[in-house]
Amino acid sequence: MESNFGQRFDSDESCKGLQEEAFNESETTQHDLSKNLESCTAESDSMEEEYCENLEASEPYVGMEFKSREDAREFYVSYGRRTGFTVRIHHNRRSRINEEVISQDYVCSKEGFRAKKYVERKDRVLPPPPITREGCRAMIRVTLRDGGKWVVTKFMRDHSHKLMSPAELPWRRSDKILLTEDEKDKKIRELTIELYNEKRRCERRCAAYQVQLQMVLKDIETHTEKLSSRVQDIVQSIKEIEEE
């Protein structure tokens, strides 16, 4: 009986040892997985930070790629603020198939010249505002390529005016609330649809008013004919009385 008890005790001890060993191995595996996950996350964050730093430190070049048109705009705006000029959105080109934007130009805010009709106004009361456009040709063009990447296809670096220091650049409230190109396109489509619906409503109202106006004119014409007939009857009666 003692031997049976000893064997049972040894069996229990071995089971406990196996359970502790399995538990320790499980903890070690979880710890290793956690360390691997943290290292992967840190590596991903460092790669993303390095990518952003490289973008901020570089200037545009033909062949440069962006994930979206908005990224290209943000990069050129940031580049302009570091260099000493402000940026505005210029021409774009749309696909003939689905009307999506496939090419976008971003230019220096001093691009082009002020229209003559604003410069040569003779009915001006206040003095003209200062000239802000000097024909600067500095710009960047990004084009949509296969795979959804936006690629720089044209870059003109030189400016025709003196560049400002970053501290001299005007702070624009629109820099913080500027809509993206996709949001602008969506807003334009919404306003176009709203304008079309309003036009249709106006056309229906005009048609209804026209019908009502025609009915009123017809009633006036009928009433005029009745009055004319009555006047003729009265005139005829007066003639008859005079003849008698």
Side-chain angles (χ1 to χ4, degrees):
M1 183 173 180
E2 290 179 358
S3 62
N4 292 335
F5 179 76
Q7 292 176 357
R8 187 180 301 169
F9 181 77
D10 293 339
S11 176
D12 292 341
E13 289 294 330
S14 63
C15 289
K16 289 181 180 179
L18 291 173
Q19 290 177 355
E20 290 179 357
E21 184 178 355
F23 180 75
N24 291 332
E25 290 180 356
S26 175
E27 283 189 340
T28 303
T29 303
Q30 291 180 357
H31 181 68
D32 293 340
L33 289 174
S34 178
K35 287 183 65 179
N36 292 334
L37 181 60
E38 290 177 358
S39 63
C40 290
T41 304
E43 184 177 358
S44 176
D45 292 340
S46 64
M47 290 177 64
E48 185 174 355
E49 290 176 358
E50 184 179 357
Y51 172 76
C52 294
E53 289 176 357
N54 289 336
L55 283 183
E56 292 182 356
S58 62
E59 73 171 13
Y61 59 88
V62 175
M64 193 175 190
E65 295 184 351
F66 298 94
K67 295 180 180 179
S68 66
R69 187 172 36 153
E70 179 64 18
D71 288 346
R73 186 191 71 85
E74 290 295 335
F75 169 77
Y76 196 54
V77 169
S78 178
Y79 167 75
R81 297 199 72 86
R82 293 196 310 272
T83 306
F85 67 96
T86 54
V87 177
R88 62 185 173 86
I89 300 172
H90 201 43
H91 298 304
N92 61 25
R93 190 163 64 90
R94 294 179 178 272
S95 170
R96 296 181 180 179
I97 300 174
N98 52 17
E99 290 296 322
E100 290 185 356
V101 176
I102 58 176
S103 180
Q104 180 68 61
D105 290 356
Y106 300 103
V107 300
C108 173
S109 58
K110 293 183 180 293
E111 181 272 343
F113 296 95
R114 183 174 295 172
K116 289 185 178 180
K117 64 180 180 180
Y118 299 115
V119 176
E120 300 175 355
R121 284 184 57 182
K122 297 181 180 180
D123 58 343
R124 188 184 299 278
V125 177
L126 298 175
I131 299 296
T132 56
R133 297 195 180 187
E134 303 178 14
C136 182
R137 301 183 65 184
M139 55 87 68
I140 185 177
R141 175 177 297 162
V142 290
T143 305
L144 181 63
R145 298 299 190 195
D146 294 338
K149 294 279 186 160
W150 288 84
V151 182
V152 176
T153 56
K154 185 176 182 180
F155 171 54
M156 301 187 69
R157 179 190 299 105
D158 298 333
H159 295 258
S160 62
H161 55 90
K162 181 180 178 181
L163 297 176
M164 297 178 286
S165 66
E168 293 174 335
L169 288 174
W171 174 258
R172 295 186 176 182
R173 184 170 177 264
S174 58
D175 287 343
K176 300 188 68 176
I177 62 174
L178 188 64
L179 296 177
T180 64
E181 293 300 314
D182 293 335
E183 291 173 340
K184 286 183 179 180
D185 292 341
K186 182 180 178 181
K187 191 67 175 178
I188 290 172
R189 287 194 296 269
E190 291 176 352
L191 292 175
T192 303
I193 293 173
E194 184 178 352
L195 181 61
Y196 174 77
N197 293 334
E198 184 63 26
K199 180 181 178 182
R200 296 291 296 173
R201 286 193 290 268
C202 290
E203 289 177 352
R204 288 194 292 269
R205 285 198 295 266
C206 290
Y209 295 154
Q210 187 174 6
V211 171
Q212 293 178 0
L213 180 60
Q214 290 176 353
M215 292 175 62
V216 171
L217 292 175
K218 188 175 181 179
D219 291 341
I220 293 174
E221 184 179 358
T222 302
H223 186 65
T224 302
E225 291 177 354
K226 289 182 178 180
L227 288 177
S228 177
S229 178
R230 291 184 62 183
V231 168
Q232 290 179 359
D233 292 342
I234 294 172
V235 171
Q236 185 65 29
S237 300
I238 293 175
K239 286 182 179 180
E240 292 176 355
I241 294 173
E242 289 177 350
E243 289 177 356
E244 291 179 356

